[in-house]
Amino acid sequence: MRQCMDADNLHRRLKKIIGQVQAIDRMVDEDVPCEDILAQINAAKSALHGCGKVVLEGHIQHCVRDGIEHGDADKTIADFTKAVERFANMG
């Protein structure tokens, strides 16, 4: 699976998200207003969604394309549908 996605980009994004989550944790201890904490949680969710798009794009460009060209197209489409459903349920 690693070869089907931009791992460097994904690692960079995930490290940033880890920093965001740690900052949210500190905000709780520092008695930051709830609205500010919620804004940061929303930003982290958005960043995770961006990671999901990177993974899904890589899946389409490599796994799906290869599965259709060299494998079982019906199974590949079913697997892709499942991946999209999982991604859509992230919200």
Coordinates of all heavy atoms in Angstrom, one line a residue:
M1 N 0.8 -1.2 0.0 CA 0.0 0.0 0.0 C 0.8 1.3 0.0 O 0.4 2.3 -0.5 CB -0.9 0.0 1.2 CG -2.0 -0.9 1.2 SD -3.1 -0.5 -0.2 CE -3.9 -2.1 -0.5
R2 N 2.0 1.2 0.6 CA 2.8 2.4 0.7 C 3.2 3.0 -0.6 O 3.2 4.2 -0.8 CB 4.1 2.1 1.5 CG 5.0 3.3 1.7 CD 6.2 2.8 2.6 NE 7.3 3.8 2.5 CZ 7.4 4.9 3.2 NH1 6.6 5.2 4.1 NH2 8.5 5.7 3.0
Q3 N 3.4 2.1 -1.6 CA 3.8 2.6 -2.9 C 2.6 3.3 -3.6 O 2.9 4.0 -4.6 CB 4.3 1.5 -3.8 CG 3.2 0.5 -4.2 CD 2.9 -0.6 -3.2 OE1 3.4 -0.6 -2.1 NE2 2.1 -1.5 -3.6
C4 N 1.4 3.2 -3.2 CA 0.3 3.8 -3.9 C -0.1 5.2 -3.4 O -1.0 5.8 -3.9 CB -1.0 2.9 -3.8 SG -1.7 2.8 -2.2
M5 N 0.7 5.7 -2.4 CA 0.3 7.0 -2.0 C 1.6 7.9 -1.8 O 2.7 7.3 -1.7 CB -0.5 7.0 -0.7 CG 0.3 6.3 0.5 SD -0.7 6.1 1.9 CE -1.7 4.7 1.5
D6 N 1.4 9.1 -1.7 CA 2.5 10.1 -1.5 C 2.8 10.1 0.0 O 2.3 10.9 0.8 CB 2.1 11.5 -1.9 CG 3.2 12.5 -1.8 OD1 4.3 12.2 -1.3 OD2 3.0 13.6 -2.3
A7 N 3.7 9.1 0.4 CA 3.9 8.9 1.9 C 4.6 10.1 2.5 O 4.3 10.4 3.6 CB 4.8 7.6 2.0
D8 N 5.5 10.7 1.8 CA 6.2 11.9 2.4 C 5.2 13.0 2.7 O 5.2 13.6 3.8 CB 7.3 12.4 1.5 CG 8.5 11.5 1.4 OD1 8.7 10.7 2.3 OD2 9.2 11.6 0.4
N9 N 4.3 13.3 1.8 CA 3.2 14.3 2.0 C 2.3 13.9 3.1 O 2.0 14.7 4.0 CB 2.4 14.4 0.7 CG 1.3 15.5 0.7 OD1 1.3 16.3 1.6 ND2 0.4 15.4 -0.2
L10 N 2.0 12.6 3.2 CA 1.1 12.1 4.2 C 1.7 12.2 5.6 O 1.1 12.7 6.5 CB 0.7 10.7 3.9 CG -0.6 10.1 4.6 CD1 -1.8 11.0 4.3 CD2 -0.8 8.7 4.1
H11 N 3.0 11.8 5.7 CA 3.7 11.9 7.0 C 3.8 13.4 7.4 O 3.6 13.7 8.6 CB 5.1 11.3 6.9 CG 5.1 9.8 6.9 ND1 4.6 9.1 7.9 CD2 5.6 9.0 6.0 CE1 4.8 7.8 7.7 NE2 5.3 7.7 6.5
R12 N 4.1 14.3 6.5 CA 4.2 15.7 6.8 C 2.8 16.2 7.4 O 2.8 16.9 8.4 CB 4.6 16.5 5.6 CG 4.9 18.0 5.9 CD 5.4 18.7 4.7 NE 4.4 18.8 3.7 CZ 4.3 18.1 2.5 NH1 5.2 17.3 2.2 NH2 3.3 18.3 1.7
R13 N 1.8 15.9 6.7 CA 0.4 16.3 7.1 C 0.1 15.7 8.5 O -0.5 16.4 9.4 CB -0.6 15.8 6.1 CG -0.6 16.6 4.8 CD -1.5 15.9 3.8 NE -1.6 16.6 2.6 CZ -2.6 17.4 2.2 NH1 -3.6 17.6 3.1 NH2 -2.6 18.1 1.1
L14 N 0.4 14.4 8.7 CA 0.1 13.8 10.0 C 0.9 14.4 11.1 O 0.3 14.5 12.2 CB 0.3 12.3 9.9 CG -0.7 11.5 9.0 CD1 -0.2 10.1 8.7 CD2 -2.1 11.5 9.6
K15 N 2.1 14.7 10.9 CA 2.9 15.4 12.0 C 2.3 16.7 12.4 O 2.2 17.1 13.5 CB 4.3 15.5 11.5 CG 5.1 14.2 11.5 CD 6.5 14.4 11.1 CE 7.2 13.0 11.0 NZ 8.5 13.1 10.5
K16 N 1.8 17.4 11.4 CA 1.1 18.7 11.6 C -0.1 18.5 12.4 O -0.4 19.2 13.4 CB 0.8 19.4 10.3 CG 0.3 20.8 10.5 CD 0.1 21.4 9.1 CE -0.4 22.9 9.2 NZ -0.6 23.5 7.9
I17 N -0.9 17.5 12.1 CA -2.1 17.2 12.8 C -1.8 16.8 14.3 O -2.5 17.2 15.2 CB -2.9 16.0 12.1 CG1 -3.4 16.6 10.8 CG2 -4.1 15.5 13.0 CD1 -3.9 15.5 9.8
I18 N -0.8 16.0 14.5 CA -0.4 15.6 15.8 C -0.1 16.8 16.6 O -0.5 17.0 17.8 CB 0.9 14.6 15.8 CG1 0.4 13.3 15.2 CG2 1.5 14.5 17.2 CD1 1.6 12.4 14.8
G19 N 0.6 17.8 16.0 CA 0.9 19.1 16.7 C -0.4 19.8 17.0 O -0.5 20.4 18.1
Q20 N -1.4 19.8 16.1 CA -2.6 20.5 16.4 C -3.4 19.8 17.5 O -3.9 20.5 18.4 CB -3.5 20.4 15.1 CG -3.1 21.3 14.0 CD -4.1 21.1 12.8 OE1 -4.2 20.0 12.3 NE2 -4.7 22.2 12.4
V21 N -3.4 18.5 17.6 CA -4.1 17.8 18.6 C -3.4 18.1 20.0 O -4.0 18.3 21.0 CB -4.2 16.3 18.3 CG1 -4.7 15.5 19.5 CG2 -5.1 16.1 17.1
Q22 N -2.1 18.1 20.0 CA -1.3 18.4 21.2 C -1.7 19.8 21.7 O -1.8 20.1 22.9 CB 0.1 18.2 21.0 CG 0.5 16.7 20.9 CD 2.0 16.6 20.5 OE1 2.6 17.4 19.9 NE2 2.5 15.4 20.8
A23 N -1.8 20.7 20.7 CA -2.1 22.1 21.1 C -3.5 22.2 21.7 O -3.8 23.0 22.6 CB -2.0 23.0 19.8
I24 N -4.4 21.4 21.1 CA -5.8 21.4 21.7 C -5.8 20.9 23.1 O -6.5 21.4 24.0 CB -6.7 20.5 20.8 CG1 -6.9 21.2 19.4 CG2 -8.1 20.3 21.5 CD1 -7.5 20.2 18.4
D25 N -5.0 19.9 23.3 CA -4.9 19.3 24.7 C -4.4 20.4 25.7 O -4.9 20.5 26.8 CB -3.9 18.1 24.7 CG -3.9 17.4 26.0 OD1 -5.0 17.0 26.5 OD2 -2.8 17.1 26.5
R26 N -3.4 21.1 25.2 CA -2.8 22.2 26.1 C -3.9 23.3 26.3 O -4.0 23.9 27.4 CB -1.6 22.8 25.5 CG -0.3 22.0 25.6 CD 0.9 22.8 25.2 NE 0.9 23.3 23.8 CZ 1.2 22.6 22.7 NH1 1.6 21.3 22.9 NH2 1.2 23.1 21.6
M27 N -4.7 23.6 25.3 CA -5.7 24.6 25.4 C -6.7 24.2 26.5 O -7.2 25.1 27.2 CB -6.5 24.8 24.1 CG -5.6 25.4 23.0 SD -6.5 25.3 21.3 CE -7.6 26.7 21.5
V28 N -7.0 23.0 26.6 CA -8.0 22.5 27.7 C -7.4 22.9 29.0 O -8.1 23.4 29.9 CB -8.3 21.0 27.5 CG1 -9.0 20.5 28.7 CG2 -9.0 20.7 26.2
D29 N -6.1 22.6 29.2 CA -5.4 22.9 30.5 C -5.3 24.3 30.8 O -5.2 24.8 31.9 CB -4.1 22.2 30.6 CG -4.2 20.7 30.6 OD1 -5.2 20.2 31.1 OD2 -3.2 20.0 30.2
E30 N -5.2 25.1 29.7 CA -5.0 26.6 29.9 C -6.3 27.4 30.0 O -6.3 28.6 29.9 CB -4.2 27.1 28.7 CG -2.8 26.5 28.7 CD -2.0 26.8 27.4 OE1 -2.6 27.4 26.5 OE2 -0.9 26.4 27.3
D31 N -7.4 26.6 30.1 CA -8.8 27.3 30.2 C -9.1 28.2 29.1 O -9.6 29.3 29.3 CB -8.9 28.0 31.6 CG -10.3 28.1 32.0 OD1 -11.1 27.3 31.6 OD2 -10.6 29.1 32.7
V32 N -8.8 27.8 27.9 CA -9.1 28.6 26.7 C -10.6 28.5 26.4 O -11.2 27.4 26.7 CB -8.3 28.0 25.5 CG1 -8.7 28.6 24.2 CG2 -6.8 28.2 25.7
P33 N -11.2 29.5 25.9 CA -12.6 29.5 25.7 C -13.0 28.3 24.7 O -12.3 28.0 23.8 CB -12.9 30.8 25.0 CG -11.8 31.7 25.4 CD -10.6 30.9 25.6
C34 N -14.2 27.8 25.0 CA -14.7 26.6 24.3 C -14.8 26.9 22.8 O -14.4 26.0 22.0 CB -16.1 26.2 24.8 SG -16.2 25.8 26.5
E35 N -15.2 28.1 22.4 CA -15.3 28.4 21.0 C -13.9 28.2 20.3 O -13.9 27.7 19.1 CB -15.8 29.8 20.8 CG -17.2 30.1 21.4 CD -17.1 30.5 22.8 OE1 -16.0 30.9 23.3 OE2 -18.1 30.3 23.5
D36 N -12.9 28.6 20.9 CA -11.5 28.5 20.4 C -11.1 27.1 20.2 O -10.5 26.7 19.3 CB -10.5 29.3 21.2 CG -10.8 30.8 21.2 OD1 -11.6 31.3 20.3 OD2 -10.3 31.6 22.0
I37 N -11.4 26.3 21.3 CA -11.1 24.9 21.2 C -11.8 24.2 20.1 O -11.2 23.4 19.3 CB -11.4 24.2 22.6 CG1 -10.4 24.8 23.7 CG2 -11.2 22.7 22.5 CD1 -10.8 24.3 25.1
L38 N -13.1 24.5 20.0 CA -13.9 23.9 18.9 C -13.4 24.3 17.5 O -13.4 23.5 16.6 CB -15.4 24.3 19.0 CG -16.1 23.7 20.2 CD1 -17.5 24.3 20.4 CD2 -16.2 22.2 20.0
A39 N -12.9 25.5 17.4 CA -12.3 26.0 16.1 C -11.1 25.1 15.8 O -10.9 24.7 14.6 CB -12.0 27.5 16.2
Q40 N -10.3 24.9 16.8 CA -9.1 24.1 16.5 C -9.4 22.6 16.3 O -8.7 22.0 15.5 CB -8.1 24.2 17.7 CG -7.5 25.6 17.9 CD -6.8 26.0 16.6 OE1 -6.0 25.3 16.0 NE2 -7.1 27.2 16.1
I41 N -10.4 22.1 16.9 CA -10.9 20.7 16.6 C -11.3 20.6 15.2 O -11.0 19.7 14.5 CB -12.0 20.3 17.6 CG1 -11.4 20.1 19.0 CG2 -12.7 19.0 17.1 CD1 -12.4 19.9 20.1
N42 N -12.1 21.6 14.7 CA -12.5 21.7 13.4 C -11.4 21.7 12.4 O -11.4 21.1 11.3 CB -13.5 22.8 13.1 CG -14.2 22.7 11.8 OD1 -14.7 21.6 11.5 ND2 -14.3 23.8 11.1
A43 N -10.4 22.5 12.7 CA -9.2 22.6 11.9 C -8.5 21.2 11.8 O -8.0 20.8 10.7 CB -8.2 23.7 12.4
A44 N -8.4 20.5 12.9 CA -7.7 19.2 12.9 C -8.6 18.2 12.1 O -8.0 17.4 11.3 CB -7.6 18.7 14.3
K45 N -9.9 18.3 12.2 CA -10.8 17.4 11.4 C -10.6 17.7 9.9 O -10.5 16.7 9.1 CB -12.2 17.6 11.8 CG -12.7 16.9 13.0 CD -14.1 17.3 13.4 CE -15.1 17.2 12.2 NZ -16.5 17.5 12.6
S46 N -10.5 18.9 9.6 CA -10.3 19.3 8.2 C -8.9 18.8 7.6 O -8.8 18.3 6.5 CB -10.3 20.8 8.0 OG -10.1 21.2 6.7
A47 N -7.9 18.9 8.5 CA -6.6 18.4 8.1 C -6.6 16.8 7.9 O -6.0 16.3 7.0 CB -5.6 18.8 9.1
L48 N -7.3 16.1 8.8 CA -7.5 14.7 8.6 C -8.2 14.3 7.3 O -7.9 13.4 6.7 CB -8.2 14.1 9.8 CG -7.4 13.7 11.0 CD1 -8.3 13.3 12.2 CD2 -6.4 12.7 10.7
H49 N -9.2 15.1 7.0 CA -10.0 14.9 5.8 C -9.0 15.1 4.6 O -9.0 14.3 3.6 CB -11.1 15.9 5.7 CG -12.0 15.7 4.5 ND1 -12.9 14.7 4.4 CD2 -12.1 16.4 3.3 CE1 -13.5 14.8 3.2 NE2 -13.0 15.8 2.6
G50 N -8.1 16.1 4.7 CA -7.1 16.3 3.6 C -6.2 15.0 3.5 O -5.8 14.6 2.4
C51 N -5.8 14.4 4.6 CA -5.0 13.2 4.6 C -5.8 12.1 3.9 O -5.3 11.3 3.1 CB -4.7 12.7 6.0 SG -3.4 13.7 6.7
G52 N -7.1 12.0 4.2 CA -7.9 11.0 3.5 C -8.0 11.2 2.0 O -8.0 10.2 1.2
K53 N -8.0 12.5 1.6 CA -8.0 12.7 0.1 C -6.7 12.3 -0.5 O -6.7 11.8 -1.6 CB -8.3 14.2 -0.1 CG -9.7 14.6 0.2 CD -10.1 16.0 -0.3 CE -9.2 17.1 0.0 NZ -9.8 18.4 -0.3
V54 N -5.6 12.5 0.2 CA -4.3 12.0 -0.3 C -4.3 10.5 -0.5 O -3.9 10.0 -1.5 CB -3.1 12.5 0.6 CG1 -1.8 11.8 0.2 CG2 -3.0 14.0 0.5
V55 N -4.8 9.8 0.5 CA -4.8 8.3 0.5 C -5.8 7.9 -0.7 O -5.5 7.0 -1.5 CB -5.3 7.7 1.8 CG1 -5.5 6.2 1.7 CG2 -4.2 8.0 2.9
L56 N -7.0 8.5 -0.7 CA -7.9 8.1 -1.8 C -7.4 8.4 -3.2 O -7.6 7.6 -4.1 CB -9.3 8.8 -1.5 CG -10.5 8.4 -2.3 CD1 -10.8 6.9 -2.1 CD2 -11.7 9.2 -2.0
E57 N -6.8 9.5 -3.4 CA -6.2 9.8 -4.7 C -5.1 8.8 -5.1 O -5.1 8.3 -6.2 CB -5.6 11.2 -4.6 CG -5.0 11.6 -6.0 CD -4.4 13.0 -5.9 OE1 -5.0 13.9 -5.4 OE2 -3.3 13.2 -6.5
G58 N -4.3 8.4 -4.1 CA -3.3 7.4 -4.4 C -3.9 6.1 -4.7 O -3.5 5.3 -5.6
H59 N -5.0 5.8 -4.0 CA -5.7 4.5 -4.2 C -6.3 4.5 -5.6 O -6.1 3.4 -6.3 CB -6.8 4.4 -3.2 CG -7.6 3.1 -3.3 ND1 -7.0 1.9 -3.1 CD2 -8.9 2.9 -3.6 CE1 -8.0 0.9 -3.2 NE2 -9.1 1.5 -3.5
I60 N -6.8 5.6 -6.1 CA -7.4 5.6 -7.4 C -6.3 5.5 -8.5 O -6.4 4.7 -9.4 CB -8.2 6.9 -7.6 CG1 -9.4 7.0 -6.7 CG2 -8.5 7.1 -9.1 CD1 -10.1 8.3 -6.6
Q61 N -5.2 6.3 -8.3 CA -4.2 6.3 -9.3 C -3.4 5.0 -9.4 O -2.9 4.7 -10.5 CB -3.2 7.5 -9.0 CG -3.8 8.9 -9.1 CD -4.3 9.2 -10.5 OE1 -3.7 8.7 -11.5 NE2 -5.4 9.9 -10.6
H62 N -3.3 4.3 -8.4 CA -2.5 3.1 -8.4 C -3.3 1.8 -8.3 O -3.4 1.0 -9.2 CB -1.4 3.1 -7.3 CG -0.4 4.2 -7.6 ND1 -0.6 5.5 -7.1 CD2 0.7 4.3 -8.3 CE1 0.4 6.3 -7.5 NE2 1.2 5.6 -8.2
C63 N -3.9 1.6 -7.1 CA -4.6 0.4 -6.8 C -5.8 0.1 -7.8 O -5.9 -0.9 -8.3 CB -5.1 0.4 -5.4 SG -3.8 0.6 -4.1
V64 N -6.6 1.2 -7.9 CA -7.8 1.0 -8.8 C -7.4 0.8 -10.2 O -7.9 -0.1 -10.9 CB -8.8 2.2 -8.6 CG1 -9.9 2.1 -9.6 CG2 -9.4 2.2 -7.2
R65 N -6.5 1.7 -10.7 CA -6.1 1.6 -12.1 C -5.4 0.2 -12.4 O -5.8 -0.5 -13.3 CB -5.0 2.6 -12.4 CG -4.5 2.5 -13.8 CD -3.5 3.6 -14.1 NE -4.2 4.9 -14.3 CZ -3.7 6.1 -14.2 NH1 -2.4 6.2 -13.9 NH2 -4.5 7.1 -14.3
D66 N -4.6 -0.3 -11.5 CA -3.9 -1.6 -11.6 C -4.9 -2.7 -11.6 O -4.9 -3.7 -12.4 CB -2.8 -1.8 -10.6 CG -2.0 -3.0 -10.8 OD1 -1.4 -3.1 -11.8 OD2 -2.1 -3.9 -9.9
G67 N -5.9 -2.6 -10.7 CA -6.9 -3.6 -10.5 C -7.8 -3.8 -11.8 O -8.1 -4.9 -12.2
I68 N -8.1 -2.6 -12.4 CA -8.9 -2.7 -13.6 C -8.1 -3.2 -14.8 O -8.6 -4.0 -15.6 CB -9.5 -1.3 -13.9 CG1 -10.6 -1.0 -12.8 CG2 -10.1 -1.2 -15.3 CD1 -11.1 0.4 -12.8
E69 N -6.9 -2.7 -14.9 CA -6.0 -3.1 -16.0 C -5.5 -4.5 -15.9 O -5.4 -5.2 -17.0 CB -4.9 -2.1 -16.2 CG -5.3 -0.8 -16.6 CD -4.1 0.2 -16.7 OE1 -3.0 -0.1 -16.3 OE2 -4.3 1.4 -17.1
H70 N -5.2 -5.0 -14.7 CA -4.5 -6.3 -14.6 C -5.2 -7.3 -13.7 O -4.7 -8.4 -13.5 CB -3.1 -6.1 -14.1 CG -2.3 -5.2 -15.0 ND1 -2.0 -3.9 -14.6 CD2 -1.7 -5.4 -16.2 CE1 -1.3 -3.3 -15.5 NE2 -1.1 -4.2 -16.5
G71 N -6.3 -6.9 -13.2 CA -7.0 -7.8 -12.2 C -8.4 -8.0 -12.5 O -8.9 -8.0 -13.7
D72 N -9.2 -8.2 -11.4 CA -10.6 -8.4 -11.5 C -11.3 -7.0 -11.4 O -11.4 -6.4 -10.3 CB -11.0 -9.3 -10.4 CG -12.5 -9.6 -10.3 OD1 -13.3 -8.9 -11.0 OD2 -12.9 -10.5 -9.6
A73 N -11.8 -6.5 -12.5 CA -12.4 -5.2 -12.6 C -13.6 -5.1 -11.6 O -13.8 -4.1 -10.9 CB -12.8 -4.8 -14.0
D74 N -14.4 -6.1 -11.6 CA -15.6 -6.0 -10.7 C -15.2 -6.0 -9.2 O -15.8 -5.2 -8.5 CB -16.5 -7.2 -10.9 CG -17.2 -7.2 -12.3 OD1 -17.4 -6.1 -12.9 OD2 -17.5 -8.3 -12.8
K75 N -14.3 -6.8 -8.8 CA -13.8 -6.7 -7.4 C -13.1 -5.4 -7.1 O -13.3 -4.8 -6.1 CB -12.8 -7.8 -7.2 CG -12.3 -7.9 -5.7 CD -11.4 -9.0 -5.5 CE -10.8 -9.1 -4.1 NZ -10.7 -7.9 -3.3
T76 N -12.4 -4.9 -8.1 CA -11.7 -3.6 -7.9 C -12.7 -2.5 -7.7 O -12.6 -1.6 -6.8 CB -10.8 -3.3 -9.1 OG1 -9.8 -4.3 -9.2 CG2 -10.1 -1.9 -9.0
I77 N -13.8 -2.5 -8.5 CA -14.8 -1.5 -8.4 C -15.5 -1.6 -7.0 O -15.8 -0.6 -6.4 CB -15.8 -1.5 -9.6 CG1 -15.0 -1.1 -10.8 CG2 -17.0 -0.7 -9.3 CD1 -15.8 -1.3 -12.1
A78 N -15.8 -2.8 -6.6 CA -16.5 -3.1 -5.3 C -15.6 -2.6 -4.2 O -16.1 -1.9 -3.2 CB -16.8 -4.5 -5.2
D79 N -14.3 -2.9 -4.3 CA -13.4 -2.4 -3.2 C -13.3 -0.9 -3.2 O -13.2 -0.3 -2.1 CB -12.0 -3.0 -3.4 CG -11.9 -4.5 -3.1 OD1 -12.9 -5.0 -2.5 OD2 -10.9 -5.1 -3.5
F80 N -13.3 -0.3 -4.4 CA -13.2 1.2 -4.5 C -14.5 1.8 -3.9 O -14.4 2.8 -3.1 CB -13.0 1.6 -5.9 CG -13.1 3.1 -6.1 CD1 -12.1 3.9 -5.6 CD2 -14.2 3.7 -6.8 CE1 -12.2 5.3 -5.7 CE2 -14.2 5.1 -6.9 CZ -13.2 5.9 -6.4
T81 N -15.6 1.2 -4.2 CA -16.9 1.7 -3.6 C -16.8 1.7 -2.1 O -17.2 2.6 -1.4 CB -18.1 0.9 -4.1 OG1 -18.1 1.0 -5.6 CG2 -19.4 1.3 -3.6
K82 N -16.3 0.6 -1.5 CA -16.2 0.5 -0.1 C -15.2 1.5 0.5 O -15.5 2.1 1.5 CB -15.6 -0.9 0.3 CG -15.6 -1.2 1.8 CD -15.0 -2.5 2.1 CE -15.7 -3.7 1.6 NZ -15.2 -5.0 2.0
A83 N -14.1 1.8 -0.2 CA -13.2 2.8 0.2 C -13.8 4.2 0.2 O -13.7 5.0 1.2 CB -11.9 2.8 -0.7
V84 N -14.6 4.5 -0.8 CA -15.3 5.8 -0.9 C -16.3 5.9 0.2 O -16.4 7.0 0.9 CB -15.9 6.0 -2.3 CG1 -16.8 7.2 -2.3 CG2 -14.8 6.1 -3.3
E85 N -17.0 4.9 0.5 CA -18.0 4.9 1.6 C -17.4 5.1 2.9 O -17.8 5.9 3.7 CB -18.8 3.6 1.6 CG -19.8 3.4 0.5 CD -20.4 2.0 0.4 OE1 -20.0 1.1 1.2 OE2 -21.3 1.8 -0.4
R86 N -16.2 4.5 3.1 CA -15.5 4.7 4.4 C -15.0 6.1 4.5 O -15.1 6.8 5.6 CB -14.3 3.7 4.5 CG -14.8 2.3 4.8 CD -13.6 1.4 5.0 NE -14.1 0.1 5.3 CZ -13.3 -1.0 5.3 NH1 -12.0 -0.9 5.0 NH2 -13.8 -2.2 5.6
F87 N -14.5 6.7 3.4 CA -14.0 8.1 3.4 C -15.2 9.0 3.6 O -15.0 10.0 4.4 CB -13.3 8.4 2.1 CG -12.8 9.8 2.0 CD1 -11.8 10.2 2.9 CD2 -13.3 10.6 1.1 CE1 -11.2 11.5 2.8 CE2 -12.7 11.9 1.0 CZ -11.7 12.3 1.9
A88 N -16.3 8.8 3.0 CA -17.5 9.6 3.2 C -18.0 9.6 4.6 O -18.6 10.7 5.0 CB -18.6 9.2 2.2
N89 N -17.8 8.6 5.3 CA -18.3 8.5 6.7 C -17.3 9.1 7.7 O -17.6 9.1 8.9 CB -18.5 7.0 7.1 CG -19.8 6.5 6.4 OD1 -20.7 7.2 6.1 ND2 -19.8 5.2 6.1
M90 N -16.2 9.7 7.2 CA -15.3 10.3 8.2 C -15.9 11.6 8.8 O -15.4 12.0 9.9 CB -14.0 10.7 7.4 CG -13.1 9.6 7.1 SD -11.6 10.1 6.2 CE -10.9 11.3 7.4
G91 N -16.8 12.3 8.2 CA -17.3 13.5 8.7 C -18.0 13.4 10.0 O -18.0 14.2 10.9

